[in-house]
Amino acid sequence: MMLLELKGLTKRFGGLVAVDNLNLSIKKGEIFGMIGPNGAGKTTVFNMIMGSILPTNGKVIFKGKDITGQKPYFIVRQGLSRSFQQTILFGEMTVLENILIGLYSISRHDLFKYFLNKDAIKKEKERFVEKAHEISNFMGLSPMNYQIAKNLPYGYQRMLGVAICLATNPEMILLDEPVVGMNAEEKDLMMDKIKEIRNKGTTVFLIEHDMRVIMNICDRLCVLNFGSKIAEGFPYEIQKDKNVIDAYLGSGYASLC
């Protein structure tokens, strides 16, 4: 089953074509990777999927529904969530409070009735706190639950960014360079967590420059260059593709394959 489909997705900024007629399909249960040089249009693709910017042309289809140009909050409630290149946290709040914000963002209660019902408030809060602890434990953050987010080591801040995404109960999570700035041990931990996220039923679409990460966890890959898709396939196919080697990987990488 195709969970996400991009059909002719195009974005122009004046005379610059950032993404050019991109067609892409991601199956439910995949870890799908997107790679390419800086400026290739990768984050622009994520921004169009999540409604941060409007495509010039084309469609974003999620679970068979056209969500092109919908508001980000609507898209999150459909089951899509994302992280960012630069970790965006509520820095003065604790780890648990950050995760709780993700949980409250998808609450569907009628707010007027909700605030008149103290029992409903109490039960909702208890349920969300329990879920926040569960997500924190899953991401290895439990020992830091009551620490202020901005004081966390960088690798744990990245983990918290993913935890906030998971709090929205996504069917697909978009991860924009999840291991950037991490040391080798932190990268290995993040790789394991991404695999676990998929194994728990959440499809993963990630952008990453670390080829060790990409080649070891992705089921399939696509490669962008100057906004155009130049290759798509299994990791072993991508790492031997001449166009990809010339545009991105380099001959030195090819000699290692």
Side-chain angles (χ1 to χ4, degrees), residues 172-227:
M172 173 180 278
I173 186 169
L174 280 58
L175 303 177
D176 197 343
E177 298 190 30
V179 304
V180 65
M182 287 184 165
N183 61 38
E185 183 179 348
E186 291 168 338
K187 288 179 181 180
D188 287 342
L189 181 58
M190 181 66 87
M191 287 168 65
D192 288 341
K193 290 302 176 187
I194 291 171
K195 291 176 184 177
E196 287 183 53
I197 289 168
R198 187 269 299 276
N199 292 342
K200 283 179 171 287
T202 301
T203 304
V204 180
F205 183 8
L206 76 149
I207 295 168
E208 188 51 68
H209 285 288
D210 190 307
M211 288 299 100
R212 184 177 70 89
V213 172
I214 281 285
M215 295 299 173
N216 279 284
I217 67 172
C218 290
D219 300 303
R220 292 189 301 129
L221 300 171
C222 78
V223 187
L224 292 190
N225 191 37
F226 295 111

Side-chain angles (χ1 to χ4, degrees), residues 6-11 13 17-26 32-49 53 85 176-177 205-209 211 214-215 220-233 238 241-250:
L6 309 181
K7 298 185 175 182
L9 203 62
T10 300
K11 182 61 184 180
F13 296 100
V17 181
V19 178
D20 188 14
N21 194 34
L22 178 62
N23 293 291
L24 202 61
S25 297
I26 299 176
F32 189 93
M34 178 179 286
I35 63 174
N38 288 327
K42 304 182 297 298
T43 296
T44 302
V45 172
F46 273 20
N47 289 340
M48 287 190 284
I49 292 170
I53 60 174
Q85 286 180 13
D176 197 343
E177 298 190 30
F205 183 8
L206 76 149
I207 295 168
E208 188 51 68
H209 285 288
M211 288 299 100
I214 281 285
M215 295 299 173
R220 292 189 301 129
L221 300 171
C222 78
V223 187
L224 292 190
N225 191 37
F226 295 111
S228 297
K229 182 171 70 173
I230 61 171
E232 181 177 348
I238 295 299
D241 188 292
K242 186 179 185 303
N243 290 331
V244 178
I245 292 168
D246 291 344
Y248 184 53
L249 297 179

Side-chain angles (χ1 to χ4, degrees), residues 39-141:
K42 304 182 297 298
T43 296
T44 302
V45 172
F46 273 20
N47 289 340
M48 287 190 284
I49 292 170
M50 294 303 301
S52 301
I53 60 174
L54 293 174
T56 306
N57 295 108
K59 294 182 178 181
V60 178
I61 309 295
F62 183 63
K63 296 189 293 186
K65 181 187 296 185
D66 187 350
I67 61 167
T68 313
Q70 297 286 350
K71 297 294 185 183
Y73 72 84
F74 173 85
I75 292 171
V76 169
R77 288 186 172 182
Q78 300 307 300
L80 272 167
S81 188
R82 73 169 293 183
S83 69
F84 295 83
Q85 286 180 13
Q86 295 185 345
T87 307
I88 298 177
L89 304 174
F90 297 90
E92 301 295 335
M93 301 175 76
T94 67
V95 166
L96 273 184
E97 287 169 338
N98 270 269
I99 298 173
L100 281 167
I101 287 173
L103 287 162
Y104 278 110
S105 73
I106 58 169
S107 176
R108 296 178 181 273
H109 282 287
D110 181 308
L111 290 178
F112 181 73
K113 293 180 180 178
Y114 179 70
F115 284 112
L116 290 178
N117 188 334
K118 293 183 179 179
D119 288 337
I121 294 173
K122 183 179 179 181
K123 288 179 181 178
E124 178 97 308
K125 182 177 180 180
E126 289 174 350
R127 183 170 65 86
F128 279 177
V129 168
E130 181 180 353
K131 184 65 177 178
H133 276 280
E134 179 184 320
I135 294 169
S136 175
N137 184 59
F138 173 73
M139 292 302 299
L141 294 167

